[in-house]
Amino acid sequence: MRILRAVLLVAFVLGGMAVVRGEPGLRLWYAQPAAKWTEALPLGNGLMGAMVFGGIVDERIQFNEGTLWTGKPHDYVRAGAGQQLPELRRLVAAGNIKEAHALVKAKFLSDPVRQKAFQPFGDLRLHFAGHEGATGYRREFDLEAAISRVSYRVGDVEYRREAFASYPDRVVVLRLTASAAGKISFTLTTDSPHQQSVTRKIGDDTLALSGAVAADGLRFESRVRVVAEGGRVRAEGDGLTVEGADSVTLLLVAATSFVNFKDISGDPTARCGAEQAKLARRSFADLRAAQQADYRRLFSRVSLDLGRSERADLATDVRLAQVKAKGLAGDPEMAALYFHYGRYLLIASSRPGGQPANLQGIWNDLLDPPWESKWTTNINVEMNYWPAELLNLSECHEPLFDLIDDAVVSGRRTARAQYDAGGWVLHHNTDLWRGTAPINNIDGVWPTGGAWLCHHLWERWLFTGDRVFLEKRAYPAMKAASEFFVDFLVKDAATGWLVSTPSYSPEQGTLTVGPTMDHQIIRALLTHTLAAAGVLGIDREFAAKLTALRAQLAPDQVGQHGQLQEWLTDSDVPKNNHRHMSPLWALYPGADLTPAEPKLFAAAKVLLAWRGGGSTGWSYAWRIPLWARVGDGEFAYGQLAEMLAKKTLPNGFDLCGPFQIDGNFGAPAGMAEMLLQSHTVTADAAQVPQIDLLPALPKAWAAGAVTGLCARGGFEVDLAWAGGALTRAVIRAKSGSAAVLRYAGRELAIHLKAGERLVVDGALTPLAEPVRLNGGWRYDRGGSLLAGGSEVGDRRAVG
Ligand code: FUC
């Protein structure tokens, strides 16, 4: 049966108030198959990725497995690099930049200078003879179910395909059905772009594709099993032939010999055999039910309604073309769809036990992908994880924390060999082998990639209040990263400040002493390490050392044009609109540049204005939360609109130049930042998080609703607004603590216990009858305690 798109009007209740919500069904859909890879639709279970083309006569499913890379376990440190450090520092300090660059290239960069690449794995190809005259074609991706569907008619038979990737069963599933019995016939083959690969048949129903990336590199195997109801499956030629089946299920698993970054002794054949044996006991219905339960549990946590227009009914490629031609304002649901697509892509590319989302997530069809499809740490991989805590996908953050654990090990070697320093360091890229030494070129000499990654550990703690995580995972890595800077920082002769050298302001200028971004990241690292030691009640002496170090670190400086300086010297070129926003790190994703420091905040705004609009997809995406943080929803919205118009592929993937996924993640995080911020704290000793509601709402989103956003302090927040003004907010405490809600100049102090919730109106007035208890307010409705706390009421400006 042809899948009809129904426009449902769903009344959804937010804090007791019914809001009419245009529920568009959250789908990407197309009236034709994908003509190329960048039109295909992505599936993923965090371990495997797959791109479904939706071809009629020839269907192609290109797939990946997260651990298939070129290379093998390797320490990238160049022998003798550390001996160059004193001379290198001398040359940079003396301004002998040409010589410094030559020395870096000859003796300081990694060995080899390039890191390794994420690899495509293989393709499934299905050939349907006789389907040439198909009519009524449609392909879609249902974001609420994470299911890709293809349907068309041949004669009077309706054909349907449904595909999904299941995390609980570690499998990619393709299901083929038809409206009449015995009508499904096709051939199946599998191949790989890797020259050293072969396909073999296992019995009459399974194709195994196996090979090696290189003689001494990773070995791999995939297996696809065909389960037919009715008809016949037989091995024939170089593939399998299905004849006259009623329905067919394809089960695809894949594995490599990767065990960890030091060990590639795994057996992909045994792994695939074991996975298929487990699947043999599972029906299609079981697999689908498990996938739905797993995915919906994550995806359904957040909803976003920005309104809807007729353009929402158009095919997605046509819609995107209209965004380009007519702007985004006439299609507000497109922004919501893009927001949810980002959340979907994170769930699909980053699950516990898998690798983190790389430059292309987990989707790559090229042997030589752009920037090796690895992890670039001077913005890109961090941007991938901006939505994780904020958009209620904390579990999806885990693979990044696993990578950090590895980088601590590898980065210790680099810290010692390259800088004779303790702790760990990671420069501007890493790969499956956890390379941490400076790579590629002079701009690889940037020692704060690891420190930036530590910011994610701290954010996880702020959002969840998970003390075990803080103690066991976050603090050890943060402490060791801080130890590196204890040894690495040097005293600048002119100012007496401690500075980072040699370094780079990503990715412009020359080698330099003390780029602002480095000091912002290091300052945040030291502050958070100190705070963590305080929470855990440990390492007093070390904390005292860090406190002293932090006091000497070069501060943010305001230059001659009133700008926040990018460099130690006041040498910024006005209107420099470079794609990297490096010196604004402390504005976003950092949190040190706030209105509490008016002069620096004003200087940051000058620099932000100079930088202007984006160029690459990710550079648009970074500008969205930055402008949200200075309260300019219009500029932030304009960046989102331009990004959708200029940097978005027909399948919704973001473009850097080529496809690069970071913008798909950065923009949704930025959109959330327009609706909710929680990065500042009260000025008093309690330093309670301040939760700003609708801090940068653009005119285009005059009415809407969002549910399930997360705020620091362990809260979940739902908001509804109309006429550009807040009408309702619901605050639920996950872990429970104090916060101050802020909106339109009003403040309301709250203190919720885990599981409690508070509902307020647009004036921040609690909606239930308050009962004064113990000097504070408690709100009792239907006999249940909704909120309480001794501070509540005291801080309320308006009640
Ligand atoms: C950084 C950016 C480039 C690109 C690359 C992967 O180096 O400057 O634009 O995104 O990462």
Side-chain angles (χ1 to χ4, degrees):
M1 191 186 80
R2 188 187 152 87
I3 298 154
L4 293 172
R5 296 188 73 238
V7 176
L8 302 170
L9 280 179
V10 178
F12 101 110
V13 175
L14 184 60
M17 180 194 63
V19 177
V20 176
R21 177 184 180 212
E23 176 53 70
L26 287 179
R27 280 175 170 78
L28 284 82
W29 75 274
Y30 306 84
Q32 68 288 329
K36 38 185 187 205
W37 191 85
T38 45
E39 292 173 14
L41 292 170
L43 297 178
N45 61 8
L47 310 166
M48 290 179 71
M51 294 289 277
V52 182
F53 282 63
I56 299 173
V57 176
D58 289 293
E59 171 64 299
R60 176 182 173 203
I61 297 180
Q62 184 275 329
F63 62 94
N64 291 88
E65 201 277 348
T67 64
L68 192 66
W69 286 64
T70 57
K72 59 183 177 182
H74 180 70
D75 182 355
Y76 285 90
V77 168
R78 181 171 297 277
Q83 288 149 32
Q84 314 307 322
L85 184 66
E87 175 63 359
L88 193 51
R89 281 186 164 152
R90 195 189 63 74
L91 289 171
V92 179
N96 292 339
I97 298 302
K98 235 175 142 179
E99 284 172 55
H101 287 186
L103 182 59
V104 162
K105 287 189 206 171
K107 296 182 176 171
F108 201 68
L109 293 179
S110 61
D111 182 11
V113 294
R114 296 198 80 84
Q115 290 178 351
K116 299 302 176 187
F118 180 47
Q119 292 293 281
F121 200 118
D123 293 86
L124 297 185
R125 299 183 197 272
L126 290 78
H127 180 71
F128 299 89
H131 285 206
E132 290 80 4
T135 56
Y137 178 89
R138 178 188 167 96
R139 91 186 143 103
E140 67 168 27
F141 183 73
D142 175 348
L143 276 169
E144 280 156 311
I147 289 180
S148 134
R149 300 189 184 98
V150 171
S151 59
Y152 57 85
R153 188 169 272 278
V154 178
D156 54 6
V157 181
E158 175 87 24
Y159 287 92
R160 275 174 290 158
R161 293 178 216 148
E162 195 174 273
F164 57 84
S166 165
Y167 176 65
D169 286 292
R170 307 170 70 94
V171 61
V172 173
V173 179
L174 176 66
R175 168 87 166 169
L176 300 101
T177 55
S179 59
K183 291 291 182 188
I184 302 177
S185 300
F186 64 96
T187 59
L188 171 71
T189 55
T190 178
D191 54 62
S192 167
H194 293 280
Q195 298 216 323
Q196 298 182 41
S197 68
V198 287
T199 301
R200 69 180 193 281
K201 290 164 201 153
I202 302 176
D204 283 339
D205 63 358
T206 300
L207 292 178
L209 171 77
S210 57
V213 175
D216 58 350
L218 283 162
R219 290 172 299 116
F220 60 86
E221 179 156 325
S222 65
R223 285 195 197 178
V224 57
R225 189 162 78 90
V226 177
V227 184
E229 284 153 42
R232 240 182 106 198
V233 186
R234 62 197 153 81
E236 193 178 53
D238 55 1
L240 302 178
T241 299
V242 176
E243 266 173 5
D246 303 333
S247 65
V248 177
T249 306
L250 265 54
L251 303 170
L252 174 69
V253 300
T256 76
S257 54
F258 180 82
V259 178
N260 60 50
F261 77 103
K262 295 184 268 190
D263 180 357
I264 55 169
S265 67
D267 180 350
T269 301
R271 286 175 173 179
C272 283
E275 295 293 348
Q276 284 290 6
K278 273 191 250 158
L279 292 168
R281 297 191 288 272
R282 310 273 287 153
S283 70
F284 172 74
D286 290 343
L287 293 171
R288 195 176 190 281
Q291 178 262 345
Q292 287 296 295
D294 169 67
Y295 175 73
R296 286 179 188 264
R297 183 178 60 85
L298 296 173
F299 187 77
S300 65
R301 288 176 187 164
V302 173
S303 72
L304 176 63
D305 178 13
L306 298 174
R308 190 167 196 283
S309 71
E310 282 172 5
R311 273 163 60 181
D313 293 331
L314 297 170
T316 308
D317 47 349
V318 179
R319 261 176 109 173
L320 283 166
Q322 293 218 354
V323 171
K324 199 175 193 122
K326 302 180 185 170
L328 180 62
D331 189 358
E333 199 266 341
M334 187 69 225
L337 186 68
Y338 192 72
F339 173 88
H340 281 302
Y341 194 49
R343 296 183 62 247
Y344 161 69
L345 291 171
L346 190 63
I347 299 170
S349 62
S350 188
R351 300 296 300 272
Q355 293 295 314
N358 64 42
L359 285 173
Q360 299 189 179
I362 192 165
W363 298 281
N364 165 40
D365 66 331
L366 303 171
L367 291 167
D368 185 14
W371 293 284
E372 293 81 28
S373 193
K374 56 187 186 304
W375 294 281
T376 303
T377 52
N378 65 14
I379 173 62
N380 317 88
V381 69
E382 290 91 349
M383 182 177 281
N384 286 1
Y385 286 90
W386 287 350
E389 301 298 330
L390 185 62
L391 301 187
N392 222 327
L393 294 172
S394 192
E395 300 93 327
C396 296
H397 223 157
E398 289 291 332
L400 187 71
F401 303 145
D402 291 344
L403 180 146
I404 293 173
D405 286 346
D406 292 347
V408 171
V409 175
S410 150
R412 278 188 189 279
R413 296 187 310 226
T414 303
R416 185 55 68 199
Q418 200 105 22
Y419 301 101
D420 194 22
W424 69 285
V425 62
L426 188 158
H427 294 80
H428 92 308
N429 270 280
T430 190
D431 63 3
L432 191 71
W433 316 111
R434 306 310 190 221
T436 47
I439 68 160
N440 290 2
N441 208 330
I442 42 170
D443 56 5
V445 183
W446 178 73
T448 39
W452 188 344
L453 290 176
C454 286
H455 189 65
H456 286 254
L457 298 167
W458 182 246
E459 290 277 288
R460 156 64 83 87
W461 155 253
L462 290 182
F463 274 96
T464 65
D466 182 344
R467 203 185 151 102
V468 175
F469 175 83
L470 184 71
E471 184 184 343
K472 304 277 182 227
R473 300 204 74 181
Y475 184 70
M478 289 161 60
K479 180 182 176 188
S482 300
E483 280 166 348
F484 171 75
F485 292 105
V486 169
D487 292 342
F488 170 80
L489 293 169
V490 299
K491 200 172 196 157
D492 176 56
T495 59
W497 293 327
L498 288 179
V499 291
S500 166
T501 178
S503 190
Y504 220 89
S505 194
E507 296 180 4
Q508 56 172 326
T510 64
L511 273 178
T512 193
V513 176
T516 298
M517 181 196 218
D518 278 12
H519 304 142
Q520 292 180 348
I521 292 176
I522 297 164
R523 186 175 303 109
L525 171 71
L526 300 181
T527 301
H528 302 155
T529 306
L530 281 165
V535 171
L536 299 171
I538 54 175
D539 285 341
R540 280 213 186 141
E541 267 176 44
F542 181 64
K545 201 190 231 178
L546 294 192
T547 305
L549 196 74
R550 187 179 56 173
Q552 299 168 64
L553 200 58
D556 284 336
Q557 300 180 76
V558 180
Q560 58 187 311
H561 311 283
Q563 88 284 10
L564 180 70
Q565 284 180 206
E566 178 145 11
W567 321 96
L568 198 59
T569 54
D570 188 2
S571 50
D572 291 280
V573 177
K575 307 237 162 83
N576 169 0
N577 70 342
H578 197 270
R579 64 190 182 284
H580 280 269
M581 306 299 273
S582 309
L584 294 164
W585 188 91
L587 183 59
Y588 186 93
D592 287 335
L593 286 171
T594 71
E597 302 265 7
K599 278 195 188 133
L600 287 174
F601 195 65
K605 285 193 200 170
V606 171
L607 189 69
L608 190 59
W610 280 3
R611 285 293 210 258
S615 51
T616 59
W618 64 259
S619 72
Y620 280 107
W622 197 349
R623 282 155 170 83
I624 299 169
L626 281 168
W627 284 89
R629 287 258 169 117
V630 301
D632 192 333
E634 295 312 318
F635 199 93
Y637 177 82
Q639 292 298 288
L640 174 69
E642 267 193 57
M643 185 177 171
L644 277 161
K646 296 181 182 164
K647 292 287 161 187
T648 305
L649 285 159
N651 69 353
F653 273 172
D654 173 52
L655 287 162
C656 176
F659 159 49
Q660 194 167 291
I661 207 158
D662 37 23
N664 283 110
F665 298 130
M671 290 170 72
E673 208 67 29
M674 293 160 75
L675 304 175
L676 182 81
Q677 296 178 11
S678 61
H679 59 289
T680 65
V681 292
T682 54
D684 57 8
Q687 301 212 333
V688 164
Q690 305 185 115
I691 302 180
D692 290 297
L693 312 179
L694 304 181
L697 192 68
K699 287 197 195 80
W701 297 345
V706 66
T707 64
L709 296 183
C710 294
R712 292 168 187 81
F715 300 97
E716 241 181 48
V717 180
D718 304 344
L719 302 170
W721 63 96
L726 182 73
T727 52
R728 284 288 186 279
V730 182
I731 322 296
R732 286 181 297 278
K734 292 211 281 191
S735 51
S737 59
V740 175
L741 300 186
R742 302 200 301 185
Y743 177 68
R746 297 187 169 93
E747 289 194 351
L748 173 67
I750 63 169
H751 195 288
L752 303 181
K753 292 203 194 94
E756 291 179 342
R757 68 171 207 162
L758 171 69
V759 184
V760 298
D761 67 10
L764 299 190
T765 305
L767 284 180
E769 279 296 306
V771 179
R772 196 157 186 129
L773 272 180
N774 303 332
W777 295 104
R778 287 177 183 263
Y779 304 97
D780 201 344
R781 189 165 66 177
S784 67
L785 190 67
L786 297 177
S790 60
E791 281 184 323
V792 176
D794 304 335
R795 297 179 94 118
R796 271 167 62 183
V798 174

